[in-house]
Amino acid sequence: MNDITDMTDATDIRTFRSDIPQSDLDDLRARIAATRWPDEIPGTAWSYGVALGRVKELAEHWRTAYDWRAHEARLNGFPQFTTTIDGQNVHFLHVRSPEPDALPLILTHGWPGSVAEFLDLIGPLADPRGHGGDPADAFHVVVPSIPGYGFSGPTTATGWDVPRVARAWAELMRRLGYARYGAQGGDWGARISPELARTAPDHVAGLHVNAFFALPSGDPGETDGLTDAERARLAGITRWNGERSGYAAIQSTRPQTLAYALLDSPVGQLAWYLEWFDGYGQGVGGVDRDAILTNVTLHWLTRTAGSAARLYKEAAASWGRRFERCPVPTGMAVFPGDSTVRAFAEREHAVVHWSEFDRGGHFAALQAPDLLVADVRAFFRRVR
């Protein structure tokens, strides 16, 4: 599982292990304890932003009970590496399947997530035989940290937009010796993975996404015939634009200004991330509190909350544009809260597999890993 001797350009790939200094953990707890709490108008919880009681609850658990060392050990239980691509450090997990005919698969996380989103998926995907599944469904699993996120460290130059990340992923898979592979992702991963398929269509055997976002084009009649569920998803896009898009507006225009607060206040960073992880107080799907805190802590300890936000600034120029249709066979999984409409998705992708679920949510890998694993397996049986 740890053998990388057959990789091309192996000298460019370095082993990695997380070993956060204890002084950083002590400083984190001290900063949480010294938090200056805002007031809250009675009866406004979540309508004005993240509820004060919820942030206090999680912050106290973070300070007194959350065990980073346990989650760090779990992360270190998987083979990890770093390499330099296009001048940028790239951290990634690489878990080879014990099955010799496994298909390589690259998983891409979103914001405000990290590689920790996928820890419950890696074992079942890489070793289905050991998890009650069919060994024919096995994958060699590659999970990179997006440049600017977590152990990939902050970006050190402008221009790290979605196409550049996708080109870096194509180079990473080349260095690992994988000429044919699958791609999967949600949130930013549902933009980066499709771009990877467009960048390397001769190498990407299949594309699977969740939390995919495709806007209506405005063409006459394009909403005719939509189901009630699809119309509800369109209404969700309108609500997002009117009520919930503030974080994206700030991160796509003034990420440096925001960075001062995110890097100095752990509770400020927690609240900023909690808008997404808690589903705006709706509890859709529910994300385990330690899973939330592991993603928050990873960005806090690596000081990358500011650089992670920069991806919005880098990608802003492409928002709303029409994409060239990708010929790679595509599977889409739609979970509660997603705004994915098949008719719009098919403008851009050759959709051959479509699933809708009544459990889970935007962070499907954290909220319903069993459903996501099963759907990934089912789709890739078509293209192996």
Side-chain angles (χ1 to χ4, degrees):
M1 297 282 282
N2 291 309
D3 180 26
I4 60 169
T5 56
D6 63 338
M7 295 178 183
T8 58
D9 292 343
T11 56
D12 291 337
I13 295 173
R14 306 167 291 274
T15 58
F16 176 85
R17 181 179 178 84
S18 174
D19 186 16
I20 299 297
Q22 183 59 41
S23 58
D24 287 0
L25 301 178
D26 295 340
D27 174 72
L28 171 59
R29 291 192 177 93
R31 286 171 180 264
I32 296 171
T35 298
R36 288 178 50 173
W37 294 99
D39 67 321
E40 180 180 79
I41 298 174
T44 61
W46 290 101
S47 63
Y48 276 59
V50 183
L52 179 61
R54 175 58 170 160
V55 182
K56 282 189 170 183
E57 170 201 347
L58 272 184
E60 183 64 10
H61 178 71
W62 199 9
R63 185 182 70 84
T64 62
Y66 173 78
D67 184 359
W68 163 256
R69 292 300 185 199
H71 296 279
E72 181 181 54
R74 187 182 181 203
L75 186 64
N76 284 334
F78 298 103
Q80 297 175 79
F81 307 90
T82 61
T83 190
T84 302
I85 301 176
D86 195 11
Q88 173 65 40
N89 180 65
V90 174
H91 161 266
F92 62 98
L93 284 67
H94 183 204
V95 180
R96 288 185 180 273
S97 173
E99 307 298 336
D101 296 328
L103 176 70
L105 177 66
I106 183 168
L107 305 174
T108 305
H109 63 84
W111 182 91
S114 69
V115 295
E117 287 184 47
F118 295 115
L119 296 186
D120 287 336
L121 272 63
I122 295 173
L125 291 175
D127 184 18
R129 187 195 304 268
H131 291 78
D134 184 344
D137 288 327
F139 298 92
H140 299 306
V141 182
V142 180
V143 189
S145 298
I146 297 172
Y149 287 66
F151 293 121
S152 281
T155 46
T156 57
T158 61
W160 275 100
D161 57 7
V162 168
R164 190 172 178 182
V165 176
R167 292 193 298 271
W169 280 193
E171 171 61 15
L172 174 61
M173 297 303 274
R174 186 197 70 80
R175 289 188 189 182
L176 295 177
Y178 295 140
R180 184 175 184 272
Y181 49 88
Q184 200 285 329
D187 191 81
W188 276 118
R191 290 194 64 188
I192 294 168
S193 297
E195 190 64 27
L196 173 59
R198 293 187 184 93
T199 299
D202 294 336
H203 298 284
V204 178
L207 166 69
H208 184 280
V209 292
N210 61 285
F212 181 78
F213 190 70
L215 291 168
S217 66
D219 292 344
E222 70 175 336
T223 61
D224 295 347
L226 294 185
T227 67
D228 289 344
E230 289 172 332
R231 292 184 185 280
R233 290 173 200 156
L234 279 183
I237 295 174
T238 301
R239 286 195 303 275
W240 182 87
N241 284 331
E243 302 172 12
R244 301 172 177 173
S245 61
Y247 79 97
I250 293 172
Q251 293 188 163
S252 63
T253 56
R254 311 302 290 170
Q256 185 64 29
T257 304
L258 175 65
Y260 298 104
L262 296 182
L263 271 289
D264 190 59
S265 170
V267 169
Q269 185 193 323
L270 171 63
W272 191 250
Y273 284 11
L274 207 54
E275 283 272 9
W276 272 105
F277 282 127
D278 255 8
Y280 311 103
Q282 322 242 333
V284 178
V287 179
D288 175 79
R289 65 180 179 179
D290 272 16
I292 293 173
L293 291 174
T294 295
N295 282 279
V296 174
T297 306
L298 183 55
H299 284 183
W300 174 264
L301 294 174
T302 56
R303 303 185 182 190
T304 54
S307 60
R310 285 201 288 263
L311 180 57
Y312 285 78
K313 173 76 170 175
E314 302 293 355
S318 67
W319 285 10
R321 75 173 174 87
R322 290 196 182 189
F323 292 92
E324 176 186 350
R325 193 169 192 273
C326 179
V328 173
T330 300
M332 294 198 172
V334 183
F335 290 87
D338 287 347
S339 298
T340 315
V341 174
R342 183 164 187 166
F344 304 156
E346 288 180 334
R347 292 198 311 257
E348 301 175 8
H349 294 282
V351 179
V352 300
H353 174 93
W354 182 271
S355 301
E356 298 186 15
F357 300 98
D358 58 8
R359 175 166 61 85
H362 186 81
F363 296 96
L366 293 174
Q367 296 164 306
D370 57 330
L371 298 181
L372 186 56
V373 165
D375 203 62
V376 169
R377 289 173 175 171
F379 165 69
F380 279 101
R381 287 177 197 138
R382 293 172 171 263
V383 299
R384 285 180 180 268

